[in-house]
Amino acid sequence: MDSDGTHDARGTHADRVPRPAGPPRVPPRPARAPGAPPLPDGSAFLTWLRTPRPEAAPGVWRFGHRPRPEEEPEQIPARQLLSGAFIAFLVGWLIWSLLWNGYLGGWWLLPLFAMIPDSWVKPHSFGSVVVVYAYYVAIALGIMIGVGRLGRWSEVWRRYGVPAWRQAAPANERPPAPEEDPAQWNPLRAAGAVDAAERLGADARAGLMRDVDHARITRAWQSVRSGRHSLATFTGTVLREGAAACLHPSGDRDLPGRLAQHDLVTGQVRLGTTADDPRNPYAYRGTGMALGPDLLGTSLLAVGPAGSGKTGGVVWPLAESLCLHALAGRAAVVVVGAAGAGLGSVDAYDVVVRVGNPESVYDLDLYGGTTDPDEAAAVLAEALVGDLADPHPSGESRRSTTVLAQLLGPYRTVHGRFPSVPELRQLLDGAPGPLGALRKALTDGGQESLLRELDARERQLGQPGDLGGVLADRVALLDRPAFAGFFDTSGQSRPFSLRALDHPVRVRIDLPQRGHADASRILSRLVLAQFAASVAVREDRSLFACLVLDDATGVVTPEAVRGIQRLRSANAGVVLTLRTLDDAPRPLRSPLLGAIGCRVALAGLTPWDGQDFAEVWGKEWIEARDVTDRQIIAETPAGKAVHMLRRVITGNAPTARAVTVRQVERERWSASELAHGVPPGHAVLSLTSVRGDHAPPLLVDLRDPGRP
């Protein structure tokens, strides 16, 4: 409104401005429905898949690995390098200044005068000017090259110039060629399954594929190549389901959550970072440390006190990796530990056996699913009295097996099943009622050979040295009210048998620790014995089988050590943890460390445990340097004056240093270093692959697993 109270119509009302005639403008159609999540992007998966994974030494995290030289290059200190380069520059500048100003004479111009023709000598001749300044530049370049080599300018350029910037911030690598691109599924194309390869490539680009899918389909393709499945079935499944083809029986395509960093292309899980320590080989320093089935196939033993990181830093990452391998159809895993030990979510497993918990859906088969009484007796004898056997081969273990076989065979023949825990306890105690009923049934059935077995058992009852009483006492530990609903043999429960390791199954067994420590140790020995017996008779050994025992206290027996030695040929392995090697019998410690290929010594070991590790890791030849400082005695008055001046300035007498280099043999890691030199959160581990490749003992930081 103007001062006179009238309205200014030049822009006060926008609706008065004329608009061009035409149809109303319609907003563009949205790419997706309002409120719908954005379409997935497969760039992250493709980047992960195309990341180089070069061949490396055992235990090196291969994902994006950049190999380092075997020997550490001579590294000049930065201060010495920069000061030397600057002094060399000053020397070159001084030489050029002396030449240019004529303080050194004109001899350096004689080649120039010899090359210039007489016709170019006239002053201000263009040709003479060009030649003269070219000569000056050549002389300056010669001086620069000389002082540059003297001052190591090339090293300064590599360390602080553009090459260092490029190494610190590498540029994005070019996409691989189509014939080398793993996202193109070239093996399928070469076999004629072009449509399946196109479908998988499209799902990968659309973000519908993840690392477990890639590993699972790759495993299925290997089955096609080996002839176990037909190409037509595989192609049809992929065309119909895409990235969700060949699913695990559980229908899961991933775990509920991940804590560690995994690479399913190489099968590795990253445990930590190798410390930048002089005791580690230079090629390993600063690299990621990872394990996979190729290393776990030689089994692993981790020793460290409570709180040192055995479960959180070693056991759970390995269990998580094996569960991912099971989802990909590559492995079968059994994880045994106390309830609440931090072994992951229940949803990460297919079968969860909670021994002693009435809410447990699954039961544990006491006899391992076998129907052979002798095999069942051998496994059960190892579980019950394996820790009481002499470490050296003797007849004790055979006698306990014989005692059990004398009862299991007749009982199964009569009843068609093995006895339950209370029934087995009564038979071992020699109760007249059960033995009489068993004898009558065998007599009525005409089982003369089994009657002889039963007669032999009855003759041994009460005799000195009879193992029936010892076996009955151990069975009594399982015949408790807390286990009343477990170990059922009547077929009314859902017992889990380790015979199921022919399939990619994920199993977790929670042991009762509170008030039932002895029973838990018996069950741990039982699972280990059943595992060793089951993997040895598998038909498909391409499936890696692994048993993870979070606490192997009381599990190390002579038969267990012999069973671990046989696992490598069966494509299987075990992961054991101990708080101290004192939890294993002294005669079995060296055989145990020798039978296991991957050994982990965590921070906090005792010197006695460190001594066992130091012995198994052996010694190595190293280069020892002895430095001797010898005082210099001046003979002349001038020398004495110089020495006195040097002593006044530095505060030290002039000395001459003598260095002696010699080869000595030293322990790789001494017992004292393992007990007192391993920082908290670190571990020293040595690795051996199933092919026989070795990695020396390495100091690894388990607190830096490189998690995203």
Side-chain angles (χ1 to χ4, degrees):
M1 180 179 291
D2 294 338
S3 59
D4 57 357
T6 61
H7 288 277
D8 186 2
R10 291 176 296 179
T12 304
H13 302 285
D15 54 354
R16 297 181 181 179
V17 179
R19 295 185 179 181
R25 300 177 61 185
V26 180
R29 182 178 180 179
R32 57 183 182 272
L39 294 176
D41 181 15
S43 59
F45 172 77
L46 293 177
T47 301
W48 170 84
L49 184 60
R50 291 166 176 167
T51 300
R53 297 167 174 85
E55 294 293 332
V60 173
W61 175 251
R62 292 171 52 190
F63 181 79
H65 172 63
R66 294 186 176 183
R68 305 180 68 182
E70 293 293 333
E71 299 293 336
E72 182 177 7
E74 184 179 357
Q75 189 78 4
I76 304 173
R79 180 178 179 181
Q80 179 181 347
L81 181 64
L82 295 177
S83 61
F86 181 69
I87 293 174
F89 171 75
L90 295 180
V91 171
W93 189 8
L94 176 62
I95 294 175
W96 175 254
S97 178
L98 294 176
L99 292 176
W100 183 260
N101 293 294
Y103 289 105
L104 299 180
W107 56 268
W108 62 286
L109 297 174
L110 294 178
L112 176 64
F113 296 150
M115 290 187 299
I116 296 179
D118 295 339
S119 59
W120 289 6
V121 179
K122 295 184 297 180
H124 306 293
S125 171
F126 178 77
S128 64
V129 171
V130 172
V131 172
V132 168
Y133 279 96
Y135 183 77
Y136 292 159
V137 171
I139 295 298
L141 287 176
I143 296 175
M144 185 180 298
I145 292 174
V147 299
R149 290 185 176 180
L150 182 65
R152 298 185 179 91
W153 290 1
S154 60
E155 179 66 19
V156 175
W157 173 254
R158 286 193 300 268
R159 195 182 299 186
Y160 303 104
V162 176
W165 304 340
R166 292 177 178 174
Q167 184 177 2
N172 294 331
E173 298 182 0
R174 297 179 180 178
E179 60 273 8
E180 300 177 355
D181 188 2
Q184 295 294 326
W185 297 87
N186 292 315
L188 275 68
R189 298 177 185 271
V194 179
D195 295 339
E198 291 291 344
R199 174 64 190 273
L200 294 176
D203 285 2
R205 290 187 295 271
L208 302 178
M209 183 177 290
R210 58 193 76 178
D211 55 352
V212 178
D213 299 330
H214 180 271
R216 186 184 65 252
I217 295 174
T218 302
R219 165 72 178 179
W221 174 248
Q222 292 174 354
S223 299
V224 173
R225 295 293 301 271
S226 63
R228 289 193 296 269
H229 299 88
S230 65
L231 177 61
T233 303
F234 172 81
T235 304
T237 304
V238 171
L239 291 177
R240 184 174 59 255
E241 302 178 3
C246 310
L247 275 180
H248 185 264
S250 65
D252 296 336
R253 297 173 62 183
D254 204 347
L255 297 179
R258 300 189 188 184
L259 295 179
Q261 187 176 358
H262 305 269
D263 181 26
L264 291 181
V265 174
T266 59
Q268 293 181 312
V269 54
R270 181 164 179 164
L271 298 184
T273 303
T274 308
D276 189 5
D277 189 273
R279 290 170 292 192
N280 288 336
Y282 181 74
Y284 278 96
R285 296 179 195 172
T287 62
M289 180 55 56
L291 298 179
D294 59 331
L295 296 173
L296 294 180
T298 61
S299 300
L300 181 143
L301 173 65
V303 182
S308 59
K310 297 189 301 298
T311 301
V314 178
V315 173
W316 170 234
L318 293 178
E320 187 178 79
S321 175
L322 292 168
C323 287
L324 289 174
H325 282 288
L327 290 180
R330 296 176 174 177
V333 56
V334 180
V335 181
V336 182
L343 298 176
S345 171
V346 175
D347 298 334
Y349 298 92
D350 304 315
V351 177
V352 179
V353 181
R354 297 187 177 97
V355 181
N357 190 340
E359 298 179 358
S360 179
V361 178
Y362 290 91
D363 192 3
L364 183 63
D365 193 337
L366 193 64
Y367 301 97
T370 183
T371 58
D372 184 3
D374 293 331
E375 182 180 351
V379 172
L380 192 57
E382 168 65 14
L384 294 176
V385 294
D387 57 330
L388 302 179
D390 187 358
H392 302 285
S394 63
E396 293 294 330
S397 59
R398 299 192 190 95
R399 290 173 57 195
S400 58
T401 301
T402 302
V403 170
L404 288 171
Q406 289 171 345
L407 296 174
L408 296 182
Y411 191 94
R412 178 171 178 78
T413 301
V414 172
H415 298 279
R417 60 178 177 85
F418 289 119
S420 62
V421 170
E423 293 169 340
L424 180 61
R425 180 182 179 183
Q426 291 178 353
L427 293 174
L428 291 172
D429 278 334
L435 288 177
L438 189 59
R439 172 178 292 279
K440 183 178 183 303
L442 292 174
T443 303
D444 295 341
Q447 301 289 338
E448 298 296 335
S449 61
L450 296 177
L451 277 173
R452 289 195 297 269
E453 292 285 324
L454 195 60
D455 291 339
R457 175 86 286 271
E458 291 179 342
R459 286 195 301 270
Q460 295 171 2
L461 286 174
Q463 297 294 327
D466 180 32
L467 295 178
V470 177
L471 291 170
D473 292 342
R474 289 300 180 94
V475 172
L477 296 175
L478 302 179
D479 188 19
R480 306 298 302 164
F483 308 134
F486 286 85
F487 318 119
D488 180 64
T489 59
S490 62
Q492 299 178 0
S493 63
R494 300 178 62 183
F496 169 75
S497 170
L498 269 73
R499 296 283 179 176
L501 296 181
D502 283 332
H503 309 282
V505 63
R506 302 168 294 168
V507 183
R508 174 172 146 184
I509 301 176
D510 290 345
L511 300 177
Q513 290 288 341
R514 187 173 303 173
H516 300 282
D518 293 334
S520 296
R521 294 172 184 174
I522 291 176
L523 295 176
S524 296
R525 290 194 297 269
L526 177 66
V527 173
L528 178 56
Q530 291 183 0
F531 177 82
S534 299
V535 297
V537 297
R538 290 187 304 165
E539 296 181 0
D540 182 12
R541 294 192 177 184
S542 64
L543 194 71
F544 178 70
C546 189
L547 171 65
V548 181
L549 276 172
D550 186 43
D551 185 5
T553 302
V555 177
V556 180
T557 65
E559 186 59 34
V561 173
R562 288 190 287 268
I564 292 173
Q565 293 173 339
R566 295 189 293 264
L567 291 179
R568 183 185 304 190
S569 60
N571 193 21
V574 296
V575 176
L576 307 176
T577 67
L578 292 172
R579 294 184 179 88
T580 173
L581 288 176
D582 289 337
D583 292 335
R586 163 56 68 180
L588 292 177
R589 295 179 193 176
S590 295
L592 175 65
L593 292 174
I596 287 181
C598 302
R599 313 172 189 97
V600 183
L602 291 99
L605 282 184
T606 63
W608 298 273
D609 290 342
Q611 183 62 38
D612 292 325
F613 278 100
E615 291 179 358
V616 75
W617 281 333
K619 300 180 179 181
E620 63 178 345
W621 289 96
I622 63 169
E623 189 178 81
R625 292 174 174 265
D626 296 333
V627 181
T628 304
D629 289 334
R630 179 180 59 84
Q631 184 176 357
I632 303 175
I633 305 299
E635 301 294 341
T636 62
K640 293 180 180 180
V642 171
H643 286 188
M644 183 179 298
L645 179 63
R646 182 175 176 181
R647 178 177 295 180
V648 171
I649 295 175
T650 63
N652 297 320
T655 58
R657 175 169 295 181
V659 180
T660 303
V661 181
R662 55 194 177 91
Q663 296 289 329
V664 298
E665 193 177 20
R666 190 195 68 176
E667 290 180 327
R668 298 178 184 271
W669 279 84
S670 66
S672 178
E673 289 175 331
L674 290 172
H676 308 293
V678 180
H682 289 64
V684 179
L685 58 87
S686 64
L687 305 172
T688 303
S689 70
V690 293
R691 296 178 300 179
D693 299 328
H694 296 269
L698 304 170
L699 179 63
V700 179
D701 186 359
L702 299 178
R703 300 170 301 182
D704 181 22
R707 295 168 183 165

